[in-house]
Amino acid sequence: MKKALIGALIGLSTLWAVPTYAQTKLVVGGSEAVDSLLDKMAVKFKEILEAKGADEFKVNLIRGQSLGNAKEVLEQHQAGIVDVNFSRPDWLTSYVQDFQVLSWGFTFKDREHLQTFLNSDLFEEMNQKTIDAVGLRILAAGVDQPRILYTNTPVKGVEDVQGLKMRVPGIKAYLKLWEAVGTIPSQVAWSEAFLALKTGAVDGAEADASGAYSQKFHLAAPHVIRTNHVMSSAHFSVNENKWKSLSKEQQTILQSAAKEAVAWMSVQAKADSEAILAKMVEEGAMVAEIDNTQFAEKAKAAVQEMEAEGLWSEGLWQRIRDLVKE
């Protein structure tokens, strides 16, 4: 009996000695279509994070629009229902006006200029405003595909878009930009844009190559003009309360995974854009290069007015331009 009791006690002490790892559960969500580039970026993030922090994190990646549209997911992110969000900084403009400058055309000269900004103290200032305003922290951001123009008539210069009925997303900076270059902007839902182009409700639209191809813009508006007016970006953000609940080691792992995933996305974005434009040509579209100097001059001329209206902080546009040499 005594031996049995000793054996039981030894068994219990052995159980107590077994270390237990309480993995941190992370809900990762967005609103991107399954198999789109940003969706693939999120899958890559999950793979990297679970490889780097196998003992630290348990990731629940929710793909597609199961959680709703971008605005609805952002609200859930702010509430802490979604711990990590993959999206675009443009959607933060509702909370921090300075992000409007990212949607202002011809702000960035090229991909390298945008990445320099995303890595800068200036962008970190905007990140801190986001943390303070809504409790969301951008972990990492990278360059996506440039946005280009799709029209039903040829465009060789800014004179060819005067009075053009232009589909734009519901972001104020896009609306103001296309007014500045002389078009008549119309806020048409993304899901209705193809039909609007096809029926002539609008004469043109703009989007990155992947997004436009998924909506078949090039079949309704076969003139594809590489204006590169907006250098798009994508990011991962984390709810600040979740961030603060993590250990320093976990924070390092999480941010490292986010940086690797957006770096992968950025390389893939450049290759995808060229491949998709080639597909558009095969399917009957006419892809043209353009000197966008005149467009850029009209956009620059409107900057002072936009800052006076409070679209973004006074002087921010010029500070961004000054990050690289003219």
Side-chain angles (χ1 to χ4, degrees), residues 39-59:
D39 174 70
K40 291 177 181 177
M41 178 183 77
V43 172
K44 179 66 69 173
F45 170 73
K46 174 180 166 70
E47 291 173 356
I48 295 169
L49 185 59
E50 290 186 335
K52 286 177 173 287
D55 295 329
E56 300 290 342
F57 294 105
K58 177 69 174 177
V59 179

Side-chain angles (χ1 to χ4, degrees), residues 19 34 44 66 93-94 151 163 175 178 200 209 216 238 256 270 280 301:
V34 173
K44 179 66 69 173
S66 301
T93 56
S94 298
T151 61
L175 178 67
W178 290 102
K216 306 300 181 186
V238 61
S256 176
K270 189 173 182 180
M280 288 183 181

Side-chain angles (χ1 to χ4, degrees), residues 63-257:
R63 302 172 69 186
Q65 291 200 334
S66 301
L67 297 173
N69 60 32
K71 184 175 183 294
E72 290 166 337
V73 175
L74 187 58
E75 289 170 352
Q76 294 170 67
H77 188 31
Q78 186 181 357
I81 298 167
V82 172
D83 299 311
V84 175
N85 179 219
F86 54 100
S87 185
R88 302 184 186 281
D90 311 50
W91 286 104
L92 296 170
T93 56
S94 298
Y95 308 105
V96 178
Q97 284 289 97
D98 282 352
F99 283 104
Q100 292 271 12
V101 77
L102 291 174
S103 303
W104 188 252
F106 312 101
T107 296
F108 300 97
K109 297 176 183 179
D110 49 32
R111 293 172 58 87
E112 289 71 25
H113 185 185
L114 175 54
Q115 193 61 59
T116 296
F117 166 70
L118 296 174
N119 294 339
S120 72
D121 291 340
L122 186 52
F123 185 72
E124 188 54 38
E125 289 175 19
M126 292 166 62
N127 189 11
Q128 187 59 54
K129 288 182 180 180
T130 309
I131 295 168
D132 296 340
V134 285
L136 303 178
R137 174 185 293 266
I138 297 173
L139 291 168
V143 182
D144 193 2
Q145 298 177 18
R147 296 179 77 91
I148 57 181
L149 186 61
Y150 305 81
T151 61
N152 52 25
T153 55
V155 173
K156 295 182 180 179
V158 74
E159 66 278 1
D160 295 321
V161 302
Q162 302 309 296
L164 190 83
K165 292 178 291 185
M166 184 76 184
R167 182 269 166 188
V168 297
I171 297 173
K172 190 174 181 180
Y174 279 95
L175 178 67
K176 292 290 187 177
L177 170 70
W178 290 102
E179 282 181 351
V181 300
T183 73
I184 303 171
S186 177
Q187 293 187 39
V188 177
W190 176 251
S191 60
E192 299 170 7
F194 173 82
L195 184 61
L197 286 167
K198 192 71 175 175
T199 60
V202 296
D203 305 311
E206 58 82 55
D208 60 75
S210 291
Y213 189 79
S214 71
Q215 295 293 92
K216 306 300 181 186
F217 280 7
H218 63 293
L219 299 182
H223 296 278
V224 182
I225 302 95
R226 301 184 70 164
T227 48
N228 294 345
H229 51 274
V230 171
M231 292 290 167
S232 297
S233 55
H235 73 272
F236 286 100
S237 56
V238 61
N239 179 279
E240 184 68 3
N241 288 332
K242 173 61 75 170
W243 175 257
K244 288 179 177 177
S245 75
L246 303 177
S247 68
K248 291 294 183 184
E249 181 183 1
Q250 287 176 321
Q251 290 177 352
T252 299
I253 293 170
L254 184 65
Q255 188 152 44
S256 176

